[in-house]
Amino acid sequence: MMSREVKVGNTIIGGGNPIAVQTMCDTHTADVEATLAQCREMAQAGADIIRVTVPGMPEVQAVRRIKEELLRDGITIPLVADIHFSSETALAVVPYVDKIRINPGNFHPDHDKARERFKELIEKCKVFGKPIRIGLNHGSLGRFITEKYGNTPQAMAMAAIEWLDMCVENAFPSVVLSLKASNTIVMTEAYRILAEKMAEKGYDFPFHLGVTEAGNGDSGRIKSCVGISKLLSEGIGDTLRVSLTEDPVNEISIGKYLASRYSGELKSTMKRIRITGREVEAFYDSPDKERLLLDFSCDFGKRLLDKEIDSVRLHSPFGENYDSYLEDELMQACRRRFYKPEYIACPGCGRTMYDLHKALETVKKRTSHLKGMVIAVMGCVVNGPGEMADADYGIVGASHGLVCVYEGKKRLTEAVSIEEALDRLQSLVEHAAEK
């Protein structure tokens, strides 16, 4: 089913329009100059939509200034407000942005009150002609839905359907959906279930795709390509974000690659393939390592996730060692074989109060030998403790320069310095690995 068009500023999502590539500032939104500078970089790099965090009322006026300054610069890229807990903040920022991203279930612990507040937001957005993205994350589903369906892909889909039903009941068609998870199997299955449920109801709302907490470097790129490409290849997806724990400008080129590939503008550099039973050999003539990484991930990610094949042997111009490394990375991203720890790390945003990028690199250096462990490095408490559900141990940002150490969703420490937390984390992970 073709999705409907949803207008976000001067960009149209869905309806067969080009896939819109999004990114998100990791500056503190109250720091207007730093956020403006990053927005200008993102615009120059080709971003189609930019998101900023709006955690409270002080940031509402900052966003207003940012939008005004961008327009004065001739930058008309749509600006999206990322809201989590405060419906009051969401209502206040509607006039100044081009779209609101919210998880309505976080508006209030009482589900009925959360529904009331979501209805207020719908009415405000109708008045100002602004769309909403209902963005649900695997780690931040409310108790109301998890008590019914567990913490599962089905729970994510059913939670989204409830909020969509409210939009339909209130004659509000300007809605985009996302169901993000750090686990590529959970993420793709949640979107698939939701697409089926929507088709049954005749809903045609567009999808925003992304693998949340994908991490950084090659691993983050491969994991994002695996999840997003599987869905795009099945006709699911109208806009996307590649979430990386590094400079968010780096996300844009990867997103543009995916958009170009699945609009038919770009072809894989794979030249030949040999299939023997459920084992594959693939031969590439890629111009550089990044292009090889992206092509290889998209060519075989879906097949590995769907268990159509069991392994893939790579042959490229870059040598046997690099080929073997990419094979291992792809198998881990598809959750078919683990050769190192699995790192769950959010990209960071204006809510992050410590050096997330540096912390992740330190954790990876100190734990890279602990095969099979799942370790999380999370920016803040918004999604951190929830997304930790899949992790053995990890750290979550608490306040300026301080973090808490977690075992799964259980907090083990009060807020401590990053140095103390990393020492404690390494000790816990090494002890657990010895058992």
Side-chain angles (χ1 to χ4, degrees), residues 147-365:
E147 286 179 352
K148 283 188 174 183
Y149 302 102
N151 196 21
T152 62
Q154 184 186 18
M156 297 170 70
M158 296 310 294
I161 286 292
E162 178 185 5
W163 303 120
L164 282 181
D165 286 343
M166 279 193 67
C167 292
V168 172
E169 290 162 6
N170 288 278
F172 184 71
S174 299
V175 182
V176 180
L177 275 298
S178 66
L179 301 177
K180 296 189 180 183
S182 60
N183 180 316
T184 51
I185 295 174
V186 171
M187 173 261 192
T188 53
E189 182 68 4
Y191 277 102
R192 184 192 63 77
I193 295 171
L194 179 57
E196 289 178 355
K197 297 292 183 185
M198 285 173 55
E200 290 171 7
K201 287 177 167 281
Y203 292 171
D204 58 355
F205 301 103
F207 285 107
H208 169 122
L209 304 183
V211 178
T212 193
E213 283 88 44
N216 66 352
D218 293 344
S219 298
R221 286 160 173 76
I222 292 171
K223 186 184 281 191
S224 292
C225 283
V226 164
I228 294 171
S229 69
K230 170 178 162 58
L231 294 167
L232 289 175
S233 69
E234 296 173 359
I236 298 172
D238 304 276
T239 182
L240 61 86
R241 180 194 174 194
V242 174
S243 298
L244 298 175
T245 311
E246 50 189 82
D247 186 337
V249 173
N250 297 345
E251 301 173 352
I252 299 167
S253 63
I254 314 302
K256 291 290 185 183
Y257 164 87
L258 287 163
S260 296
R261 175 170 174 139
Y262 291 96
S263 64
E265 299 172 8
L266 196 64
K267 295 187 182 299
S268 171
T269 56
M270 183 171 63
K271 297 301 181 185
R272 185 161 57 93
I273 187 170
R274 181 186 300 146
I275 302 174
T276 307
R278 295 175 59 83
E279 297 180 353
V280 173
E281 284 188 88
F283 300 81
Y284 285 79
D285 187 21
S286 309
D288 54 62
K289 288 182 176 180
E290 181 169 277
R291 181 60 188 275
L292 173 64
L293 179 154
L294 299 176
D295 284 348
F296 185 54
S297 302
C298 292
D299 288 338
F300 294 102
K302 172 178 166 56
R303 299 179 195 187
L304 286 164
L305 279 178
D306 291 345
K307 298 188 177 178
E308 295 175 5
I309 61 174
D310 290 330
S311 66
V312 56
R313 180 76 183 275
L314 173 62
H315 301 276
S316 82
F318 305 108
E320 187 175 338
N321 288 342
Y322 187 71
D323 292 350
S324 178
Y325 159 72
L326 284 190
E327 292 167 15
D328 286 339
E329 284 286 336
L330 182 61
M331 292 295 284
Q332 178 142 339
C334 296
R335 308 186 73 80
R336 297 297 301 274
R337 182 181 71 233
F338 293 85
Y339 83 104
K340 65 176 184 179
E342 178 79 352
Y343 297 102
I344 299 172
C346 74
C349 67
R351 293 183 293 267
T352 306
M353 299 294 181
Y354 72 103
D355 192 335
L356 179 68
H357 300 178
K358 181 179 178 181
L360 174 59
E361 284 304 312
T362 303
V363 168
K364 290 172 79 169
K365 287 177 183 176

Side-chain angles (χ1 to χ4, degrees), residues 40-58:
R40 292 179 183 118
E41 283 187 74
M42 291 168 168
Q44 189 171 13
D48 297 312
I49 297 174
I50 297 172
R51 183 159 42 116
V52 295
T53 184
V54 188
M57 288 297 186

Side-chain angles (χ1 to χ4, degrees), residues 41-153:
E41 283 187 74
M42 291 168 168
Q44 189 171 13
D48 297 312
I49 297 174
I50 297 172
R51 183 159 42 116
V52 295
T53 184
V54 188
M57 288 297 186
E59 285 77 19
V60 171
Q61 292 307 313
V63 168
R64 181 179 186 175
R65 286 182 55 200
I66 290 164
K67 182 65 178 177
E68 290 172 350
E69 288 294 328
L70 289 174
L71 290 174
R72 286 194 189 100
D73 288 349
I75 298 173
T76 59
I77 293 173
L79 197 65
V80 179
D82 192 80
I83 308 288
H84 275 271
F85 298 117
S86 173
S87 59
E88 291 82 4
T89 303
L91 291 167
V93 81
V94 167
Y96 311 125
V97 293
D98 299 293
K99 185 173 71 173
I100 305 290
R101 180 270 173 185
I102 47 93
N103 175 356
N106 286 345
F107 276 169
H108 199 280
D110 182 289
H111 191 68
D112 289 335
K113 290 183 178 178
R115 286 175 59 89
E116 289 174 9
R117 295 184 180 184
F118 183 47
K119 185 174 181 179
E120 290 177 15
L121 179 62
I122 289 173
E123 295 305 319
K124 184 77 174 275
C125 287
K126 284 167 71 173
V127 170
F128 283 88
K130 304 296 175 67
I132 293 173
R133 171 158 70 94
I134 298 172
L136 306 184
N137 280 14
H138 183 222
S140 58
L141 297 175
R143 182 180 298 176
F144 176 83
I145 201 74
T146 56
E147 286 179 352
K148 283 188 174 183
Y149 302 102
N151 196 21
T152 62

